[in-house]
Amino acid sequence: MDIPQVTPNETAPTGDMGQDYLATGKQVAMRRWEASPCDWADMRTRKYETVGYVIQGRLEIDLDGETATLQGGDSWMVPEGAPHRYRILENLVAVEATSPPARMGNRDATES
């Protein structure tokens, strides 16, 4: 049996895109984002599936040519390999989970 992992907010490692890496298991990882309004990020694909939940703020997601606006209480899912990008419309706080885990330190192995 695995010992439960607890990641206190004050010790969560920060990734190079500003995300806080939270609890990470063998099959799933969680991260927290805080972001200010910005224009569209570059289109990209990932070698993992991502689900997210907006805690506060608003963002747009362009997922494989379809655009949606999300706000507090909304959630999204990006399939593995799907072209996507984000635009932050209002100060954002969101959490994402990835499967398999996208972990700090193996970004090159999981992103393209």
Side-chain angles (χ1 to χ4, degrees), residues 42-53:
D42 293 335
M43 188 71 73
R44 57 182 61 217
T45 61
R46 305 276 192 228
K47 295 180 181 178
Y48 50 81
E49 182 176 79
T50 302
V51 295
Y53 177 79

Side-chain angles (χ1 to χ4, degrees), residues 78-92:
V78 177
E80 177 183 351
H84 66 284
R85 62 185 179 159
Y86 301 96
R87 176 167 61 173
I88 311 302
L89 302 172
E90 294 176 2
N91 286 339
L92 180 73

Side-chain angles (χ1 to χ4, degrees), residues 20 22 31-35 52-57 59 74 76 88 91-96:
D20 290 328
L22 306 175
R31 56 193 178 193
R32 181 177 189 269
W33 294 90
E34 287 191 34
Y53 177 79
V54 178
I55 296 170
Q56 72 180 52
L59 73 113
D74 293 340
W76 72 93
I88 311 302
N91 286 339
L92 180 73
V93 178
V95 292
E96 289 182 325

Side-chain angles (χ1 to χ4, degrees), residues 1-109:
M1 176 174 177
D2 290 327
I3 297 171
Q5 182 188 106
V6 175
T7 305
N9 183 50
E10 57 274 359
T11 61
T14 301
D16 55 354
M17 293 188 295
Q19 70 278 31
D20 290 328
Y21 286 95
L22 306 175
T24 299
K26 294 178 184 175
Q27 301 299 317
V28 67
M30 189 167 55
R31 56 193 178 193
R32 181 177 189 269
W33 294 90
E34 287 191 34
S36 299
C38 63
D39 203 0
W40 288 107
D42 293 335
M43 188 71 73
R44 57 182 61 217
T45 61
R46 305 276 192 228
K47 295 180 181 178
Y48 50 81
E49 182 176 79
T50 302
V51 295
Y53 177 79
V54 178
I55 296 170
Q56 72 180 52
R58 288 186 328 124
L59 73 113
E60 286 183 309
I61 182 171
D62 175 357
L63 179 59
D64 203 16
E66 299 285 329
T67 303
T69 301
L70 297 99
Q71 60 188 6
D74 293 340
S75 59
W76 72 93
M77 194 278 292
V78 177
E80 177 183 351
H84 66 284
R85 62 185 179 159
Y86 301 96
R87 176 167 61 173
I88 311 302
L89 302 172
E90 294 176 2
N91 286 339
L92 180 73
V93 178
V95 292
E96 289 182 325
T98 61
S99 179
R103 297 185 186 119
M104 195 167 118
N106 72 349
R107 181 173 174 208
D108 294 332

